[in-house]
Amino acid sequence: MGIDQTTTLGDKRIGWELGTDPFDPEKPSLVLVHGSGGSRASWTRLYPQLGDRMNVLALELPGHGQSSGPPLETVAEAAAFVMEAITAKNFPRPPYLGGHSLGGAVAIEAGLARPDLFSGLILLGSGAKLAVNPAIFDGLSTDPAGTLSLVGVWSFFKEADPAVVAE
């Protein structure tokens, strides 16, 4: 678990989490954006791995975790939110932006729109276009809980540590 940095931006609550170490303005910063249905909790295992070299911050998209509002409908809307949140955070130098899956698509969109706002991009399991299995969309309409459980199973390789999967 990291250090809660939840802030407000106008009428929006923004879920931020700083890694396990206090923010050090002398270190580079990495802002991480989770995938669809995820939250800042997606990144907690990275904090101890990277915290001695950089400030690691996890940002939640609206409708996820501690961020208020409904989930955003498009990658472009999510990228605008990320750029607004990063601008408001007022980093001493441009952070790196990392994203997983949907978060990676958001990072690409934000990086193209405002390259001056970032030192670089880090993409994990992502791309400019993301194919989604149509069974997921169908299942969310007919059996949301079962579909989310199945997506959870698909998110890990079969030899994954059960404790990590449960987390």
Side-chain angles (χ1 to χ4, degrees):
M1 215 45 172
I3 302 167
D4 185 20
Q5 296 281 303
T6 302
T7 59
T8 57
L9 183 60
D11 62 347
K12 299 177 207 165
R13 187 176 67 223
I14 301 174
W16 282 100
E17 185 172 78
L18 177 61
T20 52
D21 300 329
F23 188 88
D24 180 350
E26 299 300 316
K27 290 182 184 177
S29 296
L30 170 62
V31 173
L32 297 165
V33 181
H34 58 81
S36 185
S39 71
R40 59 189 180 179
S42 303
W43 303 107
T44 57
R45 289 183 170 268
L46 284 180
Y47 300 157
Q49 306 299 321
L50 299 174
D52 61 333
R53 292 175 291 217
M54 57 183 24
N55 301 302
V56 182
L57 295 100
L59 172 64
E60 290 174 322
L61 298 171
H64 296 77
Q66 300 299 312
S67 288
S68 63
L72 300 172
E73 303 249 340
T74 68
V75 170
E77 289 174 344
F81 170 81
V82 168
M83 291 183 290
E84 184 179 17
I86 286 174
T87 300
K89 198 77 170 160
N90 200 23
F91 287 93
R93 59 184 172 199
Y96 292 88
L97 181 61
H100 170 252
S101 192
L102 170 67
V106 169
I108 292 169
E109 184 88 13
L112 288 171
R114 289 286 311 275
D116 60 301
L117 200 55
F118 310 104
S119 290
L121 302 179
I122 300 169
L123 310 174
L124 305 163
S126 190
K129 295 197 181 255
L130 302 172
V132 178
N133 187 324
I136 293 173
F137 291 120
D138 294 339
L140 289 173
S141 300
T142 59
D143 180 16
T147 301
L148 290 175
S149 177
L150 184 59
V151 169
V153 169
W154 287 348
S155 297
F156 295 91
F157 69 109
K158 63 184 176 183
E159 291 87 14
D161 179 345
V164 173
V165 175
E167 180 184 316

